[in-house]
Amino acid sequence: MANIFNKLVPYRSPLELFIEHTILCVEAAGVMKEAIKVYLNGGNIEGFSKKIDEFEDKADGIKIKVREIYSKLKWTYFNKSDFLDILHNTDSIIDITDDVLKMLTMNKVENIPEDVAKDILQLSDLVSESVIHMSEIAKELRLIVESAFSPKEVKEGDERVSVVEKEEHSSDILGLEIGKKLFSKKYEMNAVDIMFLNSIIILLMRIEDRAKNVVERIRMITHQ
């Protein structure tokens, strides 16, 4: 009887799986931040990519489960296309962290200026914090749903959204400053290394952008 019931009513909700997915994003961003630190200090980062690959495999499994669940559910709090779009953005975060790790293994930049290295570390920290706050907002969404969208819970969710938006703005400013600083050293550094590091900066800013997209879509859901 239990097996029949599980087939009719999925055991885990899409929202629960989504939160699990955002936690994988947090772990991936943390590994990426540590890898960048090791890279800037001249260390070997080969092992970090394997960890990101594991997160990607788990994330793919979650996406499959969510699609299966939506094929069975007759009613949900959220529109299927909206929910899958949010999941696509969180999935992109893990993919981009993997892109960062793979790029770092392609080129070893020697003698990175200390001010540039410091700024890159700060940017990676800001990006990681934004992903953490994105995951917290996902957990807040569960509280909002469980409270039947109470104004109090919605307001607290909005406050967390504001935090992510401010962080995204700070990351954009810092990313642009690093880019300007890199290109100002065109007579001091190898041109290929400048372009390479700038590409890493752009990827980090893209992770931040994906986190903001998730947060904005969650806000749209809670204010429908």
Side-chain angles (χ1 to χ4, degrees):
M1 179 65 71
N3 289 335
I4 295 175
F5 181 78
N6 286 336
K7 289 180 179 179
L8 293 174
V9 181
Y11 180 71
R12 304 184 68 190
S13 73
L15 184 53
E16 182 184 353
L17 289 168
F18 168 61
I19 291 171
E20 186 177 320
H21 202 278
T22 66
I23 292 172
L24 288 174
C25 291
V26 171
E27 292 174 345
V31 169
M32 179 194 70
K33 183 175 75 170
E34 182 62 25
I36 289 173
K37 181 178 178 181
V38 171
Y39 177 88
L40 294 173
N41 288 325
N44 190 310
I45 62 165
E46 294 291 340
F48 289 99
S49 291
K50 294 179 181 178
K51 293 181 181 179
I52 300 295
D53 288 340
E54 292 174 6
F55 296 143
E56 284 188 306
D57 289 341
K58 291 179 182 178
D60 288 340
I62 289 174
K63 285 191 298 182
I64 292 171
K65 288 179 183 177
V66 169
R67 291 193 181 98
E68 289 176 348
I69 288 172
Y70 262 109
S71 69
K72 297 175 183 178
L73 290 175
K74 301 299 181 184
W75 179 87
T76 61
Y77 283 106
F78 319 115
N79 179 279
K80 177 181 177 181
S81 60
D82 288 342
F83 194 82
L84 292 179
D85 182 66
I86 292 175
L87 195 63
H88 173 72
N89 274 282
T90 54
D91 201 49
S92 294
I93 290 174
I94 300 178
D95 289 342
I96 300 171
T97 61
D98 185 48
D99 291 341
V100 171
L101 266 292
K102 283 183 169 57
M103 278 199 68
L104 290 177
T105 62
M106 294 178 186
N107 182 31
K108 182 61 182 174
V109 180
E110 303 289 347
N111 302 315
I112 300 174
E114 186 176 339
D115 57 337
V116 172
K118 181 180 178 181
D119 286 347
I120 293 174
L121 281 174
Q122 184 181 353
L123 180 61
S124 67
D125 187 58
L126 282 172
V127 170
S128 180
E129 285 296 319
S130 290
V131 175
I132 290 172
H133 287 143
M134 178 200 73
S135 183
E136 291 174 347
I137 289 167
K139 294 171 186 174
E140 185 72 30
L141 177 60
R142 177 169 57 188
L143 293 176
I144 290 172
V145 170
E146 291 173 350
S147 70
F149 292 82
S150 78
K152 177 177 178 294
E153 294 294 345
V154 171
K155 181 180 178 182
E156 290 180 1
D158 287 346
E159 290 172 354
R160 288 186 182 273
V161 168
S162 297
V163 170
V164 174
E165 289 176 341
K166 289 178 182 177
E167 287 174 342
E168 197 263 347
H169 180 65
S170 298
S171 298
D172 281 347
I173 293 174
L174 180 56
L176 290 172
E177 288 178 352
I178 297 172
K180 291 177 181 178
K181 191 175 292 184
L182 280 169
F183 285 106
S184 73
K185 298 180 184 295
K186 58 188 174 184
Y187 299 115
E188 305 168 37
M189 294 179 63
N190 182 293
V192 172
D193 288 344
I194 290 175
M195 296 299 296
F196 174 79
L197 290 175
N198 194 59
S199 295
I200 297 296
I201 301 308
I202 291 171
L203 287 175
L204 289 173
M205 294 168 68
R206 195 170 295 165
I207 292 173
E208 181 92 33
D209 187 56
R210 294 294 186 276
K212 183 183 177 184
N213 286 346
V214 171
V215 168
E216 288 178 343
R217 294 305 295 268
I218 289 176
R219 173 184 270 180
M220 289 173 63
I221 287 175
T222 59
H223 287 78
Q224 285 180 352

